[in-house]
mmCIF file of all heavy atoms in Angstrom:
data_model
loop_
_atom_site.group_PDB
_atom_site.id
_atom_site.type_symbol
_atom_site.label_atom_id
_atom_site.label_comp_id
_atom_site.label_asym_id
_atom_site.label_seq_id
_atom_site.Cartn_x
_atom_site.Cartn_y
_atom_site.Cartn_z
ATOM 1 N N LEU I 221 17.499 13.078 22.000
ATOM 2 C CA LEU I 221 17.593 11.876 21.187
ATOM 3 C C LEU I 221 16.223 11.319 20.811
ATOM 4 O O LEU I 221 16.136 10.258 20.187
ATOM 5 C CB LEU I 221 18.401 10.806 21.933
ATOM 6 C CG LEU I 221 19.847 11.175 22.288
ATOM 7 C CD1 LEU I 221 20.501 10.066 23.105
ATOM 8 C CD2 LEU I 221 20.659 11.455 21.025
ATOM 9 N N GLY I 222 15.167 12.033 21.205
ATOM 10 C CA GLY I 222 13.824 11.571 20.898
ATOM 11 C C GLY I 222 13.324 10.488 21.829
ATOM 12 O O GLY I 222 12.358 9.786 21.511
ATOM 13 N N GLN I 223 13.943 10.359 23.004
ATOM 14 C CA GLN I 223 13.565 9.328 23.968
ATOM 15 C C GLN I 223 12.649 9.924 25.034
ATOM 16 O O GLN I 223 12.856 11.049 25.488
ATOM 17 C CB GLN I 223 14.812 8.737 24.632
ATOM 18 C CG GLN I 223 15.773 8.100 23.651
ATOM 19 C CD GLN I 223 17.164 7.896 24.250
ATOM 20 O OE1 GLN I 223 17.438 8.308 25.372
ATOM 21 N NE2 GLN I 223 18.030 7.250 23.491
ATOM 22 N N LEU I 224 11.644 9.152 25.435
ATOM 23 C CA LEU I 224 10.711 9.569 26.468
ATOM 24 C C LEU I 224 11.165 9.047 27.828
ATOM 25 O O LEU I 224 11.534 7.876 27.969
ATOM 26 C CB LEU I 224 9.310 9.046 26.170
ATOM 27 C CG LEU I 224 8.580 9.679 24.984
ATOM 28 C CD1 LEU I 224 7.293 8.920 24.692
ATOM 29 C CD2 LEU I 224 8.273 11.156 25.248
ATOM 30 N N TRP I 225 11.117 9.925 28.822
ATOM 31 C CA TRP I 225 11.470 9.578 30.194
ATOM 32 C C TRP I 225 10.363 10.042 31.131
ATOM 33 O O TRP I 225 9.671 11.021 30.865
ATOM 34 C CB TRP I 225 12.777 10.268 30.608
ATOM 35 C CG TRP I 225 14.009 9.657 30.010
ATOM 36 C CD1 TRP I 225 14.460 9.805 28.726
ATOM 37 C CD2 TRP I 225 14.951 8.811 30.666
ATOM 38 N NE1 TRP I 225 15.629 9.102 28.552
ATOM 39 C CE2 TRP I 225 15.948 8.490 29.717
ATOM 40 C CE3 TRP I 225 15.059 8.313 31.963
ATOM 41 C CZ2 TRP I 225 17.040 7.677 30.047
ATOM 42 C CZ3 TRP I 225 16.134 7.500 32.284
ATOM 43 C CH2 TRP I 225 17.108 7.185 31.325
ATOM 44 N N THR I 226 10.233 9.348 32.247
ATOM 45 C CA THR I 226 9.359 9.807 33.322
ATOM 46 C C THR I 226 10.227 10.092 34.547
ATOM 47 O O THR I 226 11.375 9.652 34.622
ATOM 48 C CB THR I 226 8.317 8.745 33.720
ATOM 49 O OG1 THR I 226 8.929 7.752 34.556
ATOM 50 C CG2 THR I 226 7.726 8.063 32.495
ATOM 51 N N PRO I 227 9.678 10.849 35.507
ATOM 52 C CA PRO I 227 10.393 10.946 36.784
ATOM 53 C C PRO I 227 10.561 9.558 37.404
ATOM 54 O O PRO I 227 9.818 8.618 37.087
ATOM 55 C CB PRO I 227 9.463 11.819 37.635
ATOM 56 C CG PRO I 227 8.614 12.545 36.652
ATOM 57 C CD PRO I 227 8.442 11.626 35.486
ATOM 58 N N GLY I 228 11.529 9.442 38.277
ATOM 59 C CA GLY I 228 11.739 8.174 38.955
ATOM 60 C C GLY I 228 10.682 7.914 40.014
ATOM 61 O O GLY I 228 9.970 8.816 40.465
ATOM 62 N N VAL I 229 10.558 6.660 40.390
ATOM 63 C CA VAL I 229 9.652 6.235 41.451
ATOM 64 C C VAL I 229 10.484 5.514 42.503
ATOM 65 O O VAL I 229 11.294 4.647 42.160
ATOM 66 C CB VAL I 229 8.551 5.302 40.900
ATOM 67 C CG1 VAL I 229 7.719 4.712 42.042
ATOM 68 C CG2 VAL I 229 7.653 6.052 39.922
ATOM 69 N N THR I 230 10.300 5.881 43.761
ATOM 70 C CA THR I 230 11.019 5.242 44.861
ATOM 71 C C THR I 230 10.030 4.537 45.770
ATOM 72 O O THR I 230 9.047 5.132 46.208
ATOM 73 C CB THR I 230 11.821 6.271 45.683
ATOM 74 O OG1 THR I 230 12.769 6.915 44.824
ATOM 75 C CG2 THR I 230 12.571 5.593 46.827
ATOM 76 N N VAL I 231 10.283 3.264 46.013
ATOM 77 C CA VAL I 231 9.429 2.458 46.880
ATOM 78 C C VAL I 231 10.258 1.968 48.055
ATOM 79 O O VAL I 231 11.327 1.384 47.862
ATOM 80 C CB VAL I 231 8.832 1.251 46.124
ATOM 81 C CG1 VAL I 231 7.991 0.397 47.061
ATOM 82 C CG2 VAL I 231 8.015 1.717 44.938
ATOM 83 N N GLU I 232 9.772 2.230 49.263
ATOM 84 C CA GLU I 232 10.462 1.770 50.467
ATOM 85 C C GLU I 232 9.576 0.780 51.198
ATOM 86 O O GLU I 232 8.454 1.092 51.580
ATOM 87 C CB GLU I 232 10.797 2.952 51.381
ATOM 88 C CG GLU I 232 11.779 3.935 50.754
ATOM 89 C CD GLU I 232 12.194 5.023 51.728
ATOM 90 O OE1 GLU I 232 12.142 4.770 52.946
ATOM 91 O OE2 GLU I 232 12.543 6.115 51.258
ATOM 92 N N CYS I 233 10.099 -0.424 51.376
ATOM 93 C CA CYS I 233 9.390 -1.459 52.119
ATOM 94 C C CYS I 233 10.035 -1.556 53.500
ATOM 95 O O CYS I 233 11.203 -1.928 53.615
ATOM 96 C CB CYS I 233 9.480 -2.789 51.388
ATOM 97 S SG CYS I 233 8.706 -4.136 52.287
ATOM 98 N N GLU I 234 9.294 -1.206 54.536
ATOM 99 C CA GLU I 234 9.828 -1.212 55.893
ATOM 100 C C GLU I 234 9.639 -2.586 56.533
ATOM 101 O O GLU I 234 9.274 -3.547 55.865
ATOM 102 C CB GLU I 234 9.142 -0.116 56.718
ATOM 103 C CG GLU I 234 9.265 1.276 56.115
ATOM 104 C CD GLU I 234 10.704 1.777 56.026
ATOM 105 O OE1 GLU I 234 11.569 1.219 56.731
ATOM 106 O OE2 GLU I 234 10.959 2.701 55.237
ATOM 107 N N THR I 235 9.893 -2.652 57.809
ATOM 108 C CA THR I 235 9.829 -3.943 58.496
ATOM 109 C C THR I 235 8.420 -4.514 58.522
ATOM 110 O O THR I 235 8.237 -5.725 58.533
ATOM 111 C CB THR I 235 10.352 -3.798 59.937
ATOM 112 O OG1 THR I 235 9.616 -2.755 60.582
ATOM 113 C CG2 THR I 235 11.831 -3.447 59.943
ATOM 114 N N ASP I 236 7.412 -3.622 58.522
ATOM 115 C CA ASP I 236 6.031 -4.086 58.485
ATOM 116 C C ASP I 236 5.666 -4.477 57.063
ATOM 117 O O ASP I 236 5.628 -3.634 56.172
ATOM 118 C CB ASP I 236 5.106 -2.977 58.985
ATOM 119 C CG ASP I 236 3.652 -3.432 59.029
ATOM 120 O OD1 ASP I 236 3.399 -4.625 58.778
ATOM 121 O OD2 ASP I 236 2.791 -2.583 59.301
ATOM 122 N N MET I 237 5.388 -5.744 56.853
ATOM 123 C CA MET I 237 5.162 -6.234 55.509
ATOM 124 C C MET I 237 3.785 -5.848 54.975
ATOM 125 O O MET I 237 3.483 -6.077 53.804
ATOM 126 C CB MET I 237 5.321 -7.751 55.483
ATOM 127 C CG MET I 237 5.572 -8.331 54.116
ATOM 128 S SD MET I 237 6.029 -10.057 54.212
ATOM 129 C CE MET I 237 5.701 -10.548 52.522
ATOM 130 N N SER I 238 2.937 -5.239 55.808
ATOM 131 C CA SER I 238 1.585 -4.923 55.373
ATOM 132 C C SER I 238 1.502 -3.621 54.581
ATOM 133 O O SER I 238 0.450 -3.299 54.047
ATOM 134 C CB SER I 238 0.654 -4.833 56.590
ATOM 135 O OG SER I 238 1.041 -3.747 57.409
ATOM 136 N N SER I 239 2.598 -2.845 54.553
ATOM 137 C CA SER I 239 2.532 -1.576 53.834
ATOM 138 C C SER I 239 3.890 -1.218 53.259
ATOM 139 O O SER I 239 4.926 -1.714 53.679
ATOM 140 C CB SER I 239 2.048 -0.454 54.763
ATOM 141 O OG SER I 239 2.985 -0.231 55.782
ATOM 142 N N ALA I 240 3.854 -0.355 52.286
ATOM 143 C CA ALA I 240 5.072 0.176 51.672
ATOM 144 C C ALA I 240 4.782 1.616 51.273
ATOM 145 O O ALA I 240 3.635 1.979 51.001
ATOM 146 C CB ALA I 240 5.475 -0.647 50.449
#
Side-chain angles (χ1 to χ4, degrees):
L221 299 176
Q223 300 163 355
L224 290 172
W225 285 77
T226 79
V229 172
T230 300
V231 178
E232 296 185 26
C233 177
E234 304 297 342
T235 55
D236 183 6
M237 200 170 162
S238 65
S239 65

